[in-house]
Amino acid sequence: MSVYSMTGYASGQHILAAATAGAPATRIGLEIRAVNSRFLDISFRLSEELRAHEPALRELLQQRLKRGKVELRAGVESTASDAVREPSPRLLQRLATLQDSVRAWMPDARPLGVADVLRLSATDGAGGTDWTQPLMQLAREAVDELQAARAREGARLATMLLGHLGQLRTLAQQAAPLVPQLVEQQRERFLERWREAMNLAAGATAPQAAEDRALAEATAFAIRIDVAEELTRLASHLDEIERLVKKGGEAGKRLDFLIQELHREANTLGSKSASLELTRISVDMKVLVEQMREQVQNIE
Protein backbone atom coordinates (compact mmCIF):
# COMPACT_ATOMS: atom_id res chain seq x y z
CA MET A 1 0.00 0.00 0.00
CA SER A 2 1.27 3.47 -0.89
CA VAL A 3 2.18 6.29 1.45
CA TYR A 4 0.08 9.32 0.49
CA SER A 5 1.05 12.94 0.91
CA MET A 6 -1.73 15.34 1.89
CA THR A 7 -0.56 17.87 -0.70
CA GLY A 8 -1.82 17.72 -4.27
CA TYR A 9 -3.62 19.45 -7.11
CA ALA A 10 -5.89 18.27 -9.92
CA SER A 11 -8.13 19.94 -12.47
CA GLY A 12 -10.28 19.11 -15.46
CA GLN A 13 -13.07 20.31 -17.68
CA HIS A 14 -16.01 18.85 -19.55
CA ILE A 15 -17.70 20.48 -22.54
CA LEU A 16 -21.42 19.93 -23.11
CA ALA A 17 -22.84 20.36 -26.60
CA ALA A 18 -25.17 23.30 -27.13
CA ALA A 19 -28.86 22.63 -26.59
CA THR A 20 -29.82 24.47 -29.79
CA ALA A 21 -28.02 24.95 -33.08
CA GLY A 22 -25.92 28.10 -33.21
CA ALA A 23 -25.80 28.52 -29.43
CA PRO A 24 -22.41 28.30 -27.69
CA ALA A 25 -21.50 25.10 -25.89
CA THR A 26 -21.21 24.99 -22.10
CA ARG A 27 -18.06 24.04 -20.20
CA ILE A 28 -17.81 22.71 -16.64
CA GLY A 29 -14.44 23.46 -15.04
CA LEU A 30 -13.33 21.79 -11.79
CA GLU A 31 -10.17 21.90 -9.68
CA ILE A 32 -9.14 20.38 -6.36
CA ARG A 33 -6.39 21.72 -4.09
CA ALA A 34 -5.19 19.84 -1.00
CA VAL A 35 -2.70 20.72 1.74
CA ASN A 36 -1.83 19.13 5.07
CA SER A 37 -4.18 19.26 8.05
CA ARG A 38 -4.72 17.24 11.22
CA PHE A 39 -8.16 16.16 10.03
CA LEU A 40 -10.20 16.06 6.82
CA ASP A 41 -11.39 19.62 6.20
CA ILE A 42 -13.41 20.04 2.98
CA SER A 43 -14.60 23.34 1.52
CA PHE A 44 -16.40 24.15 -1.73
CA ARG A 45 -16.60 27.07 -4.13
CA LEU A 46 -19.36 26.21 -6.58
CA SER A 47 -21.24 28.32 -9.10
CA GLU A 48 -24.96 28.77 -8.56
CA GLU A 49 -25.88 26.01 -11.05
CA LEU A 50 -23.81 23.41 -9.18
CA ARG A 51 -24.48 24.16 -5.51
CA ALA A 52 -27.16 21.50 -5.25
CA HIS A 53 -24.49 18.86 -5.92
CA GLU A 54 -22.33 19.76 -2.91
CA PRO A 55 -23.54 16.78 -0.76
CA ALA A 56 -22.67 14.28 -3.51
CA LEU A 57 -19.26 15.88 -4.03
CA ARG A 58 -18.58 15.86 -0.28
CA GLU A 59 -19.47 12.18 -0.05
CA LEU A 60 -17.10 11.37 -2.93
CA LEU A 61 -14.20 13.20 -1.27
CA GLN A 62 -14.88 11.61 2.12
CA GLN A 63 -14.78 8.15 0.54
CA ARG A 64 -11.41 8.71 -1.11
CA LEU A 65 -9.53 11.05 1.27
CA LYS A 66 -8.80 10.61 4.97
CA ARG A 67 -6.86 13.72 6.01
CA GLY A 68 -6.02 17.12 4.61
CA LYS A 69 -7.47 20.56 3.97
CA VAL A 70 -9.25 20.14 0.62
CA GLU A 71 -10.85 22.84 -1.51
CA LEU A 72 -12.97 21.96 -4.54
CA ARG A 73 -13.93 24.65 -7.04
CA ALA A 74 -16.33 24.15 -9.92
CA GLY A 75 -18.20 26.43 -12.28
CA VAL A 76 -20.13 26.57 -15.52
CA GLU A 77 -19.29 28.95 -18.34
CA SER A 78 -19.96 29.46 -22.04
CA THR A 79 -17.30 28.46 -24.57
CA ALA A 80 -18.17 31.39 -26.87
CA SER A 81 -15.07 33.36 -27.83
CA ASP A 82 -16.58 36.65 -26.70
CA ALA A 83 -17.80 35.03 -23.46
CA VAL A 84 -21.01 37.11 -23.67
CA ARG A 85 -24.30 35.65 -24.78
CA GLU A 86 -26.59 38.05 -26.63
CA PRO A 87 -30.01 38.17 -24.95
CA SER A 88 -32.91 37.15 -27.15
CA PRO A 89 -35.89 39.48 -27.74
CA ARG A 90 -38.07 36.97 -25.92
CA LEU A 91 -35.82 37.12 -22.85
CA LEU A 92 -35.67 40.91 -22.91
CA GLN A 93 -39.46 41.06 -23.04
CA ARG A 94 -39.74 38.67 -20.09
CA LEU A 95 -37.25 40.69 -18.05
CA ALA A 96 -39.07 43.94 -18.82
CA THR A 97 -42.39 42.41 -17.78
CA LEU A 98 -40.91 41.00 -14.58
CA GLN A 99 -39.27 44.33 -13.77
CA ASP A 100 -42.60 46.16 -14.19
CA SER A 101 -44.32 43.67 -11.89
CA VAL A 102 -41.64 43.98 -9.20
CA ARG A 103 -41.57 47.77 -9.30
CA ALA A 104 -45.37 47.92 -9.14
CA TRP A 105 -45.09 46.39 -5.68
CA MET A 106 -41.70 47.85 -4.81
CA PRO A 107 -41.37 51.32 -6.38
CA ASP A 108 -37.96 51.88 -4.79
CA ALA A 109 -36.44 48.75 -6.38
CA ARG A 110 -33.38 49.45 -8.51
CA PRO A 111 -33.96 49.10 -12.29
CA LEU A 112 -32.14 46.34 -14.12
CA GLY A 113 -28.80 47.37 -15.58
CA VAL A 114 -26.94 46.05 -18.60
CA ALA A 115 -24.73 43.85 -16.40
CA ASP A 116 -27.85 42.35 -14.77
CA VAL A 117 -29.41 41.57 -18.14
CA LEU A 118 -26.21 39.96 -19.47
CA ARG A 119 -25.82 37.89 -16.32
CA LEU A 120 -29.40 36.66 -16.52
CA SER A 121 -29.09 35.92 -20.22
CA ALA A 122 -25.98 33.83 -19.56
CA THR A 123 -28.00 31.48 -17.36
CA ASP A 124 -31.11 31.55 -19.49
CA GLY A 125 -31.99 28.08 -20.65
CA ALA A 126 -29.46 26.47 -18.34
CA GLY A 127 -31.80 26.19 -15.40
CA GLY A 128 -33.23 22.90 -16.63
CA THR A 129 -29.87 21.32 -17.42
CA ASP A 130 -29.00 18.24 -15.39
CA TRP A 131 -25.34 18.65 -14.43
CA THR A 132 -25.17 15.53 -12.24
CA GLN A 133 -23.60 13.02 -14.63
CA PRO A 134 -20.93 15.26 -16.23
CA LEU A 135 -20.06 16.94 -12.91
CA MET A 136 -19.65 13.71 -10.92
CA GLN A 137 -17.69 12.06 -13.74
CA LEU A 138 -15.37 15.06 -13.85
CA ALA A 139 -15.03 15.00 -10.05
CA ARG A 140 -14.13 11.29 -10.00
CA GLU A 141 -11.47 11.83 -12.66
CA ALA A 142 -10.06 14.80 -10.73
CA VAL A 143 -9.91 12.81 -7.48
CA ASP A 144 -8.09 9.99 -9.31
CA GLU A 145 -5.59 12.54 -10.60
CA LEU A 146 -5.24 14.07 -7.14
CA GLN A 147 -4.59 10.68 -5.55
CA ALA A 148 -1.96 9.88 -8.17
CA ALA A 149 -0.20 13.18 -7.41
CA ARG A 150 -0.41 12.53 -3.66
CA ALA A 151 0.98 9.02 -4.14
CA ARG A 152 3.96 10.36 -6.11
CA GLU A 153 4.68 12.93 -3.41
CA GLY A 154 4.16 10.26 -0.72
CA ALA A 155 6.72 7.99 -2.39
CA ARG A 156 9.24 10.82 -2.35
CA LEU A 157 8.57 11.48 1.35
CA ALA A 158 8.90 7.77 2.16
CA THR A 159 12.28 7.63 0.43
CA MET A 160 13.51 10.65 2.39
CA LEU A 161 12.26 9.20 5.68
CA LEU A 162 13.99 5.87 5.09
CA GLY A 163 17.20 7.76 4.29
CA HIS A 164 16.96 9.69 7.56
CA LEU A 165 16.33 6.45 9.46
CA GLY A 166 19.61 5.07 8.10
CA GLN A 167 21.49 8.18 9.23
CA LEU A 168 19.96 7.97 12.72
CA ARG A 169 20.99 4.32 13.03
CA THR A 170 24.55 5.26 12.05
CA LEU A 171 24.63 7.97 14.74
CA ALA A 172 23.27 5.52 17.34
CA GLN A 173 26.03 3.04 16.44
CA GLN A 174 28.61 5.81 16.91
CA ALA A 175 27.17 6.70 20.32
CA ALA A 176 27.01 3.15 21.75
CA PRO A 177 30.77 2.58 22.39
CA LEU A 178 31.37 6.09 23.72
CA VAL A 179 29.75 5.54 27.13
CA PRO A 180 31.92 2.59 28.30
CA GLN A 181 35.02 4.56 27.25
CA LEU A 182 33.83 7.60 29.22
CA VAL A 183 33.06 5.48 32.29
CA GLU A 184 36.55 3.96 32.29
CA GLN A 185 38.20 7.35 31.78
CA GLN A 186 36.17 8.87 34.62
CA ARG A 187 36.99 5.92 36.91
CA GLU A 188 40.70 6.49 36.39
CA ARG A 189 40.23 10.22 36.88
CA PHE A 190 38.47 9.68 40.25
CA LEU A 191 41.21 7.37 41.48
CA GLU A 192 43.89 9.81 40.35
CA ARG A 193 42.26 12.69 42.21
CA TRP A 194 41.96 10.66 45.40
CA ARG A 195 45.64 9.78 45.25
CA GLU A 196 46.59 13.41 44.71
CA ALA A 197 44.35 14.54 47.54
CA MET A 198 46.02 12.15 49.97
CA ASN A 199 49.55 13.11 48.80
CA LEU A 200 50.39 9.56 47.90
CA ALA A 201 53.48 8.64 45.95
CA ALA A 202 53.05 7.55 42.39
CA GLY A 203 53.57 3.88 43.22
CA ALA A 204 51.73 3.84 46.57
CA THR A 205 48.35 2.28 47.21
CA ALA A 206 45.43 4.35 48.47
CA PRO A 207 43.60 3.26 51.63
CA GLN A 208 40.82 0.83 50.85
CA ALA A 209 38.09 3.20 52.07
CA ALA A 210 39.32 5.98 49.80
CA GLU A 211 39.55 3.66 46.83
CA ASP A 212 36.06 2.30 47.51
CA ARG A 213 34.74 5.86 47.64
CA ALA A 214 36.36 6.65 44.29
CA LEU A 215 34.88 3.52 42.75
CA ALA A 216 31.45 4.42 44.16
CA GLU A 217 31.71 7.87 42.57
CA ALA A 218 32.71 6.28 39.28
CA THR A 219 29.74 3.91 39.49
CA ALA A 220 27.32 6.77 40.17
CA PHE A 221 28.80 8.64 37.23
CA ALA A 222 28.36 5.58 35.00
CA ILE A 223 24.71 5.28 36.00
CA ARG A 224 24.13 8.98 35.41
CA ILE A 225 25.53 8.99 31.87
CA ASP A 226 24.32 5.53 30.80
CA VAL A 227 22.33 5.91 27.57
CA ALA A 228 21.90 2.23 26.74
CA GLU A 229 18.18 2.41 27.55
CA GLU A 230 17.71 5.49 25.35
CA LEU A 231 19.56 3.87 22.46
CA THR A 232 17.46 0.72 22.80
CA ARG A 233 14.21 2.69 22.71
CA LEU A 234 15.50 4.79 19.83
CA ALA A 235 16.28 1.65 17.82
CA SER A 236 12.80 0.31 18.56
CA HIS A 237 11.17 3.54 17.35
CA LEU A 238 13.27 3.51 14.19
CA ASP A 239 12.20 -0.07 13.43
CA GLU A 240 8.53 0.82 13.94
CA ILE A 241 8.77 3.92 11.73
CA GLU A 242 10.39 1.86 8.98
CA ARG A 243 7.63 -0.77 9.27
CA LEU A 244 4.88 1.85 8.99
CA VAL A 245 6.50 3.62 6.03
CA LYS A 246 6.91 0.37 4.12
CA LYS A 247 3.39 -0.76 5.01
CA GLY A 248 1.83 2.54 3.83
CA GLY A 249 -1.81 3.50 4.31
CA GLU A 250 -3.04 5.88 6.99
CA ALA A 251 0.18 6.12 8.98
CA GLY A 252 0.55 9.89 9.43
CA LYS A 253 -0.78 10.26 12.98
CA ARG A 254 1.16 7.27 14.33
CA LEU A 255 4.33 8.45 12.60
CA ASP A 256 3.87 11.89 14.15
CA PHE A 257 3.68 10.31 17.63
CA LEU A 258 6.81 8.22 17.01
CA ILE A 259 8.71 11.30 15.82
CA GLN A 260 7.90 12.97 19.15
CA GLU A 261 9.33 9.94 20.95
CA LEU A 262 12.47 10.07 18.81
CA HIS A 263 12.95 13.72 19.71
CA ARG A 264 12.59 12.88 23.41
CA GLU A 265 15.27 10.17 23.23
CA ALA A 266 17.64 12.47 21.33
CA ASN A 267 17.11 15.19 23.97
CA THR A 268 17.80 12.75 26.81
CA LEU A 269 20.93 11.59 25.02
CA GLY A 270 22.13 15.19 24.93
CA SER A 271 21.27 15.88 28.58
CA LYS A 272 23.29 12.82 29.68
CA SER A 273 26.22 13.67 27.45
CA ALA A 274 29.63 13.78 29.15
CA SER A 275 31.69 14.41 26.02
CA LEU A 276 31.70 16.75 23.06
CA GLU A 277 31.40 13.81 20.68
CA LEU A 278 28.19 12.55 22.31
CA THR A 279 26.81 16.11 22.34
CA ARG A 280 27.51 16.40 18.61
CA ILE A 281 25.74 13.12 17.95
CA SER A 282 22.72 14.30 19.95
CA VAL A 283 22.56 17.58 18.00
CA ASP A 284 22.84 15.76 14.66
CA MET A 285 20.05 13.41 15.73
CA LYS A 286 17.76 16.29 16.66
CA VAL A 287 18.37 17.99 13.30
CA LEU A 288 17.41 14.79 11.47
CA VAL A 289 14.37 14.23 13.68
CA GLU A 290 13.16 17.78 13.04
CA GLN A 291 13.48 17.24 9.30
CA MET A 292 11.50 14.02 9.64
CA ARG A 293 8.82 15.85 11.64
CA GLU A 294 8.27 18.31 8.78
CA GLN A 295 7.95 15.46 6.30
CA VAL A 296 5.69 13.31 8.48
CA GLN A 297 3.26 16.21 9.03
CA ASN A 298 2.47 16.02 5.31
CA ILE A 299 1.69 12.27 5.30
CA GLU A 300 -1.97 11.21 5.32
Side-chain angles (χ1 to χ4, degrees):
M1 188 179 296
S2 300
V3 171
Y4 287 96
S5 166
M6 286 188 281
T7 300
Y9 173 83
S11 65
Q13 61 179 9
H14 183 89
I15 299 178
L16 281 72
T20 59
T26 303
R27 175 173 53 220
I28 301 178
L30 182 146
E31 65 176 19
I32 305 176
R33 302 174 185 269
V35 295
N36 61 316
S37 176
R38 292 183 62 192
F39 308 102
L40 181 60
D41 180 10
I42 303 174
S43 62
F44 295 92
R45 292 193 177 185
L46 306 176
S47 63
E48 190 65 34
E49 304 92 335
L50 305 178
R51 286 183 182 173
H53 301 285
E54 180 177 324
L57 292 170
R58 184 180 297 276
E59 182 179 358
L60 172 65
L61 294 176
Q62 288 175 338
Q63 289 174 351
R64 301 291 302 278
L65 309 175
K66 303 305 178 186
R67 291 178 67 198
K69 182 176 178 61
V70 183
E71 180 183 72
L72 186 150
R73 299 186 180 195
V76 178
E77 61 181 10
S78 170
T79 60
S81 59
D82 57 5
V84 177
R85 181 178 179 182
E86 183 177 352
S88 65
R90 176 175 170 273
L91 174 63
L92 291 173
Q93 184 178 8
R94 282 174 52 203
L95 291 176
T97 301
L98 289 171
Q99 177 176 249
D100 292 341
S101 298
V102 170
R103 300 194 71 187
W105 288 92
M106 303 171 63
D108 296 332
R110 179 179 63 84
L112 287 172
V114 175
D116 299 322
V117 173
L118 292 177
R119 178 175 54 81
L120 292 170
S121 65
T123 59
D124 181 47
T129 303
D130 184 3
W131 307 104
T132 304
Q133 195 279 331
L135 176 64
M136 297 308 297
Q137 178 63 29
L138 186 59
R140 284 189 287 270
E141 292 172 357
V143 171
D144 288 341
E145 182 183 340
L146 176 70
Q147 287 294 75
R150 284 159 55 114
R152 290 191 297 270
E153 177 66 11
R156 187 183 69 81
L157 291 175
T159 300
M160 294 178 66
L161 285 173
L162 292 176
H164 287 347
L165 291 179
Q167 294 179 58
L168 285 170
R169 286 194 172 99
T170 299
L171 290 172
Q173 290 170 1
Q174 294 174 5
L178 292 178
V179 173
Q181 296 173 13
L182 289 171
V183 170
E184 182 59 28
Q185 291 172 7
Q186 193 66 18
R187 177 178 178 276
E188 293 299 325
R189 189 176 297 122
F190 277 129
L191 289 172
E192 182 179 349
R193 288 176 179 174
W194 275 104
R195 291 190 185 102
E196 291 175 353
M198 301 188 68
N199 297 317
L200 295 174
T205 303
Q208 188 62 40
E211 188 169 347
D212 290 345
R213 175 68 182 275
L215 292 175
E217 291 287 345
T219 301
F221 173 78
I223 294 174
R224 188 168 67 254
I225 70 168
D226 183 28
V227 293
E229 186 177 348
E230 284 74 17
L231 292 176
T232 299
R233 286 198 298 264
L234 189 141
S236 176
H237 296 329
L238 294 178
D239 290 342
E240 180 65 9
I241 291 173
E242 182 176 4
R243 185 188 71 81
L244 289 172
V245 170
K246 290 182 176 179
K247 178 183 177 183
E250 300 172 42
K253 290 184 178 180
R254 185 165 180 80
L255 285 172
D256 190 49
F257 170 76
L258 288 170
I259 292 299
Q260 294 179 33
E261 295 301 304
L262 277 183
H263 194 270
R264 180 177 303 157
E265 303 304 337
N267 266 336
T268 304
L269 197 67
S271 66
K272 288 187 173 184
S273 173
S275 71
L276 291 177
E277 180 64 15
L278 199 56
T279 299
R280 180 195 64 79
I281 289 174
S282 172
V283 171
D284 289 346
M285 280 186 172
K286 286 190 279 189
V287 170
L288 286 170
V289 171
E290 190 59 33
Q291 292 173 352
M292 292 175 69
R293 186 201 305 276
E294 294 176 2
Q295 294 157 7
V296 161
Q297 287 176 348
N298 202 28
I299 291 179
E300 187 175 61

